[in-house]
Amino acid sequence: MTEIAEINSNFELLKTKLKIQQKILELKDLQQKSEDPHLWDNQKLAQETLQKISEIQKIVQLVKEVDSEINSLKEFESFFESNPDPSLQMEMQNHLFLLEKKINDLELQTYLSGKYDSKYALLSIHSGQGGTEAMDWAAMLQRMYLRFFERKKWKYEVVDFIAGEEAGIKSVSFKVNQSFAFGYLKKESGVHRLVRLSPFNADQLRQTSFAKVEVTPIFDSNSDFEINPDEIEFSAYRSGGHGGQNVNKVSTAVRLVHKPTGIAVTCQSQRSQEQNRELALQMLTSKLWIIEQEKQNQEQKEIKGDNIIAGWGRQIRSYVLHPYKMVKDLRTRYETSDTTGVLDGDLDSFIETELKS
């Protein structure tokens, strides 16, 4: 079997796994429903319908592109067999590389089928034990994820930021406005550990620092995961950031407190109080969702007798910059010595290995 024939055979199996024929029928049905003028009588249903159409269209379109490219490569292969030419072989290898990347993107869809996987994500970074060292490490992680978003061409916005006293950051939160961002990033949640020579110590001693990453789905106002408005305490204050004539003169910044748990969130990244309040509510809902998940996980652990240490003990990845260079995922054992690439946002191999494990 030739390489192209093998790719084609595997792709046919993948289409079956993706249930592509069912998706095509589902797409037609959803498109018919979207033409109903009464659809918007129920805004939640309308938004869910349009989002689902967009998600399925992307998958169906990519499948069509791959099918077309495989057929073209079959013709190219037949021509090459009768007209062997090293330059043509190189061109075919380049096409195969791009084709396999598209197939890999489709394969990932089979691992993103969780209830909330298709949602936007809230990614938060919190410095851990270690004072200035940990705050600087949190800032390095902030840069790493920013570079990752830029590589993926994902839209994002900073919705909360607390600077460190001397260097780095105490915490930062990003809203990632990309379909399936939560499904793709959810396994980044956990403790990230850095080992390096300290830039803040005159003796340049080896230092270990920790930072925690949290990833939660973004819930909109029509979500099935909601907070009782009576349980929320609202207050507004003047924004402390840069802003124009309006932002610093009126109380546009917002603070929400969930009375039963005492969890508080603030937001001042938007230009109006209404926008900040909406974003703060999304952040609060995400934090409460974490608590709900932890409760469910704890119940499962009690049933199964699982004894995994939570919190700061749940390290998922180690970044060693001294005495050798190595980034290692402690769950999948995937590792690389390209620490510079990883800290510049090259995270796909780590994320995809964990998703497929």
Side-chain angles (χ1 to χ4, degrees):
M1 183 183 288
T2 65
E3 185 174 2
I4 295 172
E6 184 177 356
I7 289 173
N8 184 48
S9 176
N10 291 335
F11 184 56
E12 290 301 320
L13 291 174
L14 178 58
K15 284 196 290 186
T16 302
K17 199 173 180 181
L18 284 167
K19 299 178 181 177
I20 199 66
Q21 292 303 321
Q22 289 178 234
K23 279 185 167 58
I24 291 171
L25 293 173
E26 185 182 0
L27 179 60
K28 289 179 180 178
D29 182 54
L30 289 169
Q31 286 172 331
Q32 287 179 348
K33 289 179 179 178
S34 70
E35 295 170 0
D36 183 352
H38 298 293
L39 178 65
W40 287 94
D41 293 345
N42 183 333
Q43 288 208 4
K44 179 183 178 182
L45 179 62
Q47 289 172 352
E48 289 176 351
T49 300
L50 294 180
Q51 183 178 352
K52 193 69 177 174
I53 287 172
S54 176
E55 291 166 6
I56 297 175
Q57 277 180 331
K58 288 178 183 176
I59 295 172
V60 171
Q61 181 59 36
L62 192 52
V63 166
K64 287 180 179 178
E65 288 177 13
V66 171
D67 267 328
S68 176
E69 288 176 27
I70 287 175
N71 289 330
S72 296
L73 282 170
K74 285 178 181 177
E75 294 175 4
F76 195 99
E77 185 179 45
S78 298
F79 178 78
F80 178 75
E81 286 174 356
S82 56
N83 299 274
D85 184 327
S87 63
L88 289 177
Q89 186 176 20
M90 181 65 71
E91 185 179 347
M92 188 163 70
Q93 288 302 318
N94 289 336
H95 282 300
L96 283 170
F97 175 78
L98 295 174
L99 178 63
E100 287 173 345
K101 186 179 183 304
K102 286 183 178 181
I103 293 174
N104 182 64
D105 290 343
L106 278 168
E107 186 184 5
L108 281 176
Q109 289 296 323
T110 64
Y111 299 97
L112 300 176
S113 56
K115 183 176 181 180
Y116 302 115
D117 281 0
S118 64
K119 289 188 176 293
Y120 292 177
L122 182 72
L123 186 147
S124 302
I125 303 167
H126 307 276
S127 62
Q129 300 166 337
T132 302
E133 294 279 356
M135 293 179 197
D136 187 58
W137 171 223
M140 290 171 66
L141 285 175
Q142 176 192 20
R143 177 184 178 276
M144 181 182 78
Y145 284 113
L146 282 174
R147 291 292 180 90
F148 172 75
F149 299 152
E150 289 162 2
R151 280 170 175 258
K152 304 290 284 185
K153 294 183 171 60
W154 286 2
K155 293 181 180 178
Y156 66 88
E157 55 186 307
V158 177
V159 295
D160 190 33
F161 179 87
I162 302 176
E165 284 94 356
E166 297 178 26
I169 60 171
K170 287 185 177 179
S171 66
V172 64
S173 295
F174 301 102
K175 182 183 178 186
V176 187
N177 302 311
Q178 174 69 35
S179 294
F180 288 96
F182 173 67
Y184 199 77
L185 293 170
K186 62 186 178 184
K187 299 295 186 179
E188 289 298 286
S189 291
V191 177
H192 296 241
R193 170 177 170 262
L194 172 70
V195 180
R196 63 171 175 176
L197 292 178
S198 171
F200 302 100
N201 188 302
D203 297 326
Q204 283 201 317
L205 300 174
R206 192 168 70 174
Q207 179 76 33
T208 300
S209 306
F210 300 92
K212 184 165 84 169
V213 174
E214 289 179 338
V215 182
T216 58
I218 293 287
F219 297 97
D220 56 35
S221 58
N222 297 313
S223 172
D224 56 356
F225 188 87
E226 297 178 348
I227 310 174
N228 184 345
D230 295 334
E231 296 179 347
I232 301 173
E233 181 181 300
F234 165 80
S235 59
Y237 60 96
R238 291 184 182 181
S239 173
H242 298 292
Q245 298 180 10
N246 179 61
V247 173
N248 297 317
K249 291 183 179 180
V250 296
S251 300
T252 57
V254 164
R255 184 173 188 265
L256 299 181
V257 179
H258 185 242
K259 297 175 191 175
T261 61
I263 292 175
V265 297
T266 60
C267 185
Q268 57 178 330
S269 62
Q270 307 300 308
R271 295 187 62 82
S272 74
Q273 185 185 111
E274 183 181 353
Q275 289 172 321
N276 280 323
R277 182 168 184 163
E278 181 181 353
L279 200 47
L281 184 59
Q282 291 178 341
M283 294 166 65
L284 182 59
T285 307
S286 292
K287 286 182 178 291
L288 293 175
W289 180 82
I290 291 177
I291 293 176
E292 185 62 30
Q293 294 302 301
E294 288 176 347
K295 283 182 182 177
Q296 292 178 13
N297 290 340
Q298 185 60 39
E299 289 172 2
Q300 290 175 1
K301 288 173 188 175
E302 288 173 0
I303 293 170
K304 296 177 181 177
D306 202 351
N307 192 32
I308 296 172
I309 299 173
W312 292 104
R314 188 168 151 260
Q315 294 179 32
I316 66 162
R317 194 173 299 146
S318 178
Y319 306 71
V320 180
L321 304 184
H322 183 82
Y324 55 89
K325 294 184 182 296
M326 180 70 68
V327 181
K328 183 173 184 175
D329 193 293
L330 304 178
R331 301 159 298 180
T332 63
R333 320 310 290 179
Y334 180 84
E335 62 185 42
T336 178
S337 59
D338 184 16
T339 55
T340 301
V342 171
L343 292 172
D344 273 339
D346 187 5
L347 296 171
D348 285 310
S349 295
F350 281 95
I351 291 172
E352 292 174 13
T353 300
E354 174 58 25
L355 283 173
K356 295 175 181 180
S357 64

